[in-house]
Amino acid sequence: MNRRVSNLIAGWRTGLPRPVLILQAGSALSYFGYGLILPFEIIYLHQIRGFSTSTAGLVLAATMGTAAIVTPPTGALLDRYSAKAIVVAGSLASAVGYAGFAFVDLPWQAFACSIVSGAGLGAAQTANRVLIITLVKREQRAASVALGRVAGNFGLGLGATAAGFLVASAQVLSSFQALYVFDAATYAAFALIVLAAVPIPRAVTDAPTDANGTGYRAVARDRLFLTVIAANLVLIVVGHVFFSNILAPFAATHTSVGPAAIGIIFLANTSFVVIAQLPAVRVVARMRRSHGFAAASAIFAVSLLGVLPATLIHSELAATILLGGVAIVFAIGECVHTVVLGPLVADMAPAHLLGRYLSVLGLTFTVSLALGPAIGGLLLQTSPDAVWWGGALAAVLAGAVLFRLGGRIPDPLREAQSPLAAAPAAE
């Protein structure tokens, strides 16, 4: 029994430096604040402030739209200036924007707050990726990405749960204002944590040559990187976004599960990610990256197809158990996919273009959050089952593309096993 406990604890040991642990703890705090408002933004703007639902939806869309717009220029700035400074500035901008939401009366005020907070989110999240990568060794990148995902899921889940109890006790203006003010306070606290406890990483000198070039033109000429990004865009849409955005409305309309059961299904997914993401690093470390992508795509395909039998089950309990299992399978795919993709992009990036490469990765997730609901919503209206079998087919095709890349992508496991890597250099 003691050995099993020791093995379990060992799976959670990251070996990451103290500044990274502090940074991820601060990130969890900011995600907690975001979780406080995430489920209730439209409710607040519509029911409390009197905006139409369409206007409220556009306000939220403006946040992510602004985040997407500022991501590429943030990547360019990160290749010239301190990531720490941009994290602090972006977090403070988000604090100002979300604090303003507590006091909006008119739509234009809400849009202004949305633009400010979205700009802060886009800048801070992109800079945070770069800051973490520059604070860890190459072999620690997967663990740093995994810990970031744990921090995000834990903070969001805890924040949404706390907000649910607060709103349930009193759906009045002051309750929602308290949520937004506290959310703003968590962003400000995160900025202070980064400013006080996270060092400025030592700059890595990697002067560009005529062959590799500079700027986003150099990124655009990296066809291998663009292929990786395009294939992973598909995997993020069908594997991450379809579950988080499309499963709930599909289940509510086409299965016997109710709102409470849907909440349990999502709890199963996020809880599994929090528990299993760090131990998954050790498992995935034994796999080639192309094999890891293939495994993630296969797991996503199985989970997508697993949704369809729920439409044939008339018992709410049985359907909930089935979809809860599907949610866990989705979580397994997410754990594998995340710890392969993030470190790979960092390994593919020349040091002088690290900010731009990681900004493209961040933009991939932002675009996925826009494409996924749009594609899924259209399919829900025209052919609901096609969301799941079509998504499974897309996952398999994307996985096949990534698997075929094989030896063309950087892979620490292949490099460690290569006789050429181990052999001494010839004199």
Side-chain angles (χ1 to χ4, degrees), residues 11-391:
W12 275 73
R13 290 173 182 162
T14 63
L16 296 172
R18 183 170 176 268
V20 175
L21 298 179
I22 294 174
L23 185 61
Q24 297 291 30
S27 181
L29 176 63
S30 66
Y31 272 107
F32 172 79
Y34 187 52
L36 289 174
I37 65 166
L38 185 61
F40 303 106
E41 289 181 282
I42 290 181
I43 294 174
Y44 165 68
L45 294 175
H46 176 59
Q47 296 184 0
I48 303 299
R49 291 302 184 183
F51 299 177
S52 67
T53 54
S54 59
T55 299
L58 288 174
V59 169
L60 301 189
T63 302
M64 296 309 298
T66 305
I69 291 171
V70 304
T71 295
T74 299
L77 289 174
L78 286 165
D79 289 329
R80 299 184 61 185
Y81 302 105
S82 166
K84 175 179 175 177
I86 296 176
V87 170
V88 172
S91 298
L92 291 176
S94 293
V96 171
Y98 280 115
F101 266 113
F103 307 102
V104 299
D105 290 313
L106 301 172
W108 73 264
Q109 297 170 338
F111 277 110
C113 291
S114 184
I115 291 170
V116 173
S117 58
L121 285 175
Q125 289 178 355
T126 305
N128 194 39
R129 287 190 182 94
V130 174
L131 182 58
I132 291 172
I133 289 296
T134 53
L135 286 171
V136 300
K137 300 176 182 177
R138 183 187 180 191
E139 60 270 19
Q140 295 175 321
R141 287 173 176 174
S144 68
V145 171
L147 184 60
R149 185 163 173 76
V150 170
N153 276 269
F154 180 76
L156 280 174
L158 195 61
T161 302
F165 282 109
L166 178 61
V167 172
S169 64
Q171 293 193 34
V172 295
L173 173 61
S174 59
S175 297
F176 290 98
Q177 287 179 316
L179 293 180
Y180 276 100
V181 170
F182 193 86
D183 176 35
T186 63
Y187 282 107
F190 178 52
L192 292 176
I193 290 171
V194 174
L195 189 63
V198 178
I200 299 176
R202 185 175 59 184
V204 178
T205 303
D206 180 21
T209 66
D210 292 338
N212 56 33
T214 61
Y216 280 105
R217 289 184 179 180
V219 179
R221 286 196 294 268
D222 191 342
R223 299 297 177 83
L224 177 61
F225 173 66
L226 295 182
T227 301
V228 169
I229 286 296
N232 278 288
L233 177 66
V234 175
L235 288 182
I236 295 168
V237 168
V238 302
H240 297 254
V241 182
F242 274 10
F243 172 80
S244 59
N245 292 91
I246 306 301
L247 180 61
F250 177 87
T253 305
H254 301 284
T255 74
S256 56
V257 301
I262 292 174
I264 293 172
I265 291 166
F266 277 83
L267 179 63
N269 175 268
T270 55
S271 299
F272 190 89
V273 170
V274 170
I275 294 170
Q277 183 68 82
L278 284 172
V281 174
R282 297 177 181 270
V283 177
V284 176
R286 302 187 184 102
M287 305 169 62
R288 298 281 182 90
R289 279 173 169 165
S290 58
H291 295 173
F293 280 132
S297 64
I299 294 169
F300 283 145
V302 170
S303 55
L304 288 158
L305 293 174
V307 174
L308 293 174
T311 61
L312 306 175
I313 300 174
H314 300 293
S315 166
E316 181 177 13
L317 177 60
T320 301
I321 292 173
L322 172 62
L323 291 178
V326 167
I328 291 174
V329 178
F330 266 113
I332 294 171
E334 292 170 16
C335 289
V336 174
H337 183 239
T338 301
V339 297
V340 177
L341 177 59
L344 171 60
V345 171
D347 287 352
M348 296 182 77
H352 69 284
L353 293 175
L354 180 64
R356 288 175 171 86
Y357 272 69
L358 290 179
S359 72
V360 173
L361 174 63
L363 190 61
T364 301
F365 281 92
T366 305
V367 171
S368 299
L369 289 172
L371 286 179
I375 296 171
L378 178 62
L379 290 175
L380 281 179
Q381 183 176 349
T382 56
S383 179
D385 289 354
V387 173
W388 312 111
W389 62 257

